[in-house]
Amino acid sequence: MMTQAKVGLGLRREMLDEFCQSVPGAIDFFEVAPENWMTLGGKFGRQFRQLTEKHKFFCHGLSLSIGGPESLDTRFVKQVKHFLDHHGIDIYSEHLSYCSGKGHLYDLMPIPFTDEAVRHVAKRIEQVQDILERPFILENVSFYAAPASEMSECEFVSAVLEEADCRLLLDVNNIYVNAINHQYDAEAFLRAMPSERIAYLHIAGHYDEAEDLKVDTHGSEVIDPVWRLLEVCYQTHGVFPTLLERDFNIPATSELLKEINRIHDYQTKALQPSHRSA
């Protein structure tokens, strides 16, 4: 069984040369979007294979469109399964959103928070799990509008997890961003998430568009209120593998390691007996 106190990093192509030479010991696993890697050949393909043969990998998809109105793209899901099988990857997560209708929307769109949407998403998750032969892991997403909602975001996420009987990728930064943008209590939302369904965590930086508008960009350092939420998460739900997301404005690995080691420190602190009993 995988030790839960692990920290990962999102792998970008520009990191391949460095990490094929040496991977810092503080990085326990990598995460990739399968869409960005499963058609690669040549040098990139060989380098990626070199890393997957030696290191633990998670996959976090971008284009499954689990909440989309059109029929599930089963051909695409089978391609993902082949990629996961080929590289020996067990973990596959996606966003609780949709990104396609009659065509691809190139963005993650919010699903209406309704009972009908809960049933729709759960049915599609069942299809995906049957094809992948792996548990499906669903991420709580950042969103900027909530059309035709009949319940809160917290109620909707919990209902989908229960109806689909699937796992949760708990994104701590998304909770913070949504709490500011939609004016709710971030810690209350975090504490309401079902511990038993959590598979792993994301933490990232974001962009301050305004005092009351945060944009989930993964392009900056994690800020103190989000670090605080991560601590609360470990104290409330226990320690889970945690991934640092950084998708652009990517600094040197030495800078990323400062945040990675900070996550390690929080995990170590949370696992101490005095904190566990608390």
Side-chain angles (χ1 to χ4, degrees):
M1 182 177 177
M2 180 174 59
T3 302
Q4 297 292 70
K6 288 188 178 294
V7 183
L9 178 67
L11 181 70
R12 315 296 295 184
R13 291 184 194 180
E14 54 265 42
M15 300 172 178
L16 283 172
D17 286 343
E18 176 185 358
F19 289 152
C20 281
Q21 293 297 317
S22 177
V23 174
I27 300 174
D28 299 310
F29 66 95
F30 291 108
E31 183 188 77
V32 293
E35 296 90 335
N36 293 338
W37 297 86
M38 60 190 186
T39 59
L40 284 183
K43 177 185 176 182
F44 286 153
R46 290 192 299 273
Q47 288 179 314
F48 183 69
R49 182 61 174 166
Q50 177 184 331
L51 287 174
T52 62
E53 286 178 340
K54 296 179 181 179
H55 302 279
K56 183 76 176 177
F57 270 75
F58 292 8
C59 274
H60 183 50
L62 297 171
S63 55
L64 179 63
S65 199
I66 197 65
E70 299 298 308
S71 297
L72 185 72
D73 187 348
T74 56
R75 179 175 174 272
F76 169 72
V77 180
K78 290 174 183 177
Q79 291 173 333
V80 171
K81 175 177 167 49
H82 175 76
F83 177 81
L84 298 175
D85 289 345
H86 180 66
H87 291 286
I89 300 170
D90 298 324
I91 302 292
Y92 176 71
S93 62
E94 250 285 2
H95 303 82
L96 181 52
S97 61
Y98 71 99
C99 58
S100 62
K102 295 297 183 182
H104 204 286
L105 302 173
Y106 301 101
D107 207 348
L108 298 174
M109 307 299 291
I111 304 170
F113 300 154
T114 66
D115 288 329
E116 181 182 4
V118 169
R119 294 189 294 271
H120 175 70
V121 172
K123 183 177 179 181
R124 289 161 71 86
I125 289 173
E126 185 178 345
Q127 285 182 272
V128 174
Q129 290 188 138
D130 287 346
I131 295 171
L132 293 184
E133 299 180 304
R134 289 166 173 80
F136 188 82
I137 304 170
L138 204 57
E139 181 189 31
N140 60 296
V141 298
S142 56
F143 65 99
Y144 305 94
S149 294
E150 298 171 357
M151 60 183 81
S152 69
E153 179 198 359
C154 184
E155 291 168 335
F156 181 69
V157 172
S158 298
V160 172
L161 294 172
E162 186 67 25
E163 182 76 15
D165 192 20
C166 67
R167 307 291 301 283
L168 172 64
L169 163 51
L170 189 59
D171 191 305
V172 177
N173 184 63
N174 285 351
I175 295 174
Y176 176 79
V177 166
N178 289 348
I180 298 294
N181 293 345
H182 303 289
Q183 300 181 344
Y184 65 69
D185 186 323
E187 286 196 18
F189 183 104
L190 178 67
R191 295 180 191 280
M193 290 293 98
S195 302
E196 69 279 4
R197 295 202 179 272
I198 299 173
Y200 70 111
L201 311 176
H202 273 179
I203 190 168
H206 57 266
Y207 176 70
D208 292 336
E209 183 73 32
E211 187 174 335
D212 58 351
L213 177 58
K214 314 299 180 186
V215 182
D216 181 37
T217 59
H218 309 163
S220 59
E221 293 182 356
V222 181
I223 66 170
D224 285 342
V226 178
W227 285 121
R228 170 58 188 159
L229 269 186
L230 182 66
E231 282 194 283
V232 172
C233 185
Y234 289 154
Q235 293 164 5
T236 303
H237 299 293
V239 171
F240 291 90
T242 303
L243 181 102
L244 176 67
E245 291 187 288
R246 190 65 179 262
D247 292 342
F248 69 98
N249 293 332
I250 299 174
T253 299
S254 58
E255 290 300 308
L256 293 173
L257 285 173
K258 292 177 182 178
E259 292 188 295
I260 287 170
N261 284 320
R262 187 167 178 177
I263 299 170
H264 277 295
D265 290 343
Y266 286 138
Q267 290 184 340
T268 300
K269 179 181 176 182
L271 288 170
Q272 291 172 355
S274 60
H275 286 85
R276 287 204 303 270
S277 61

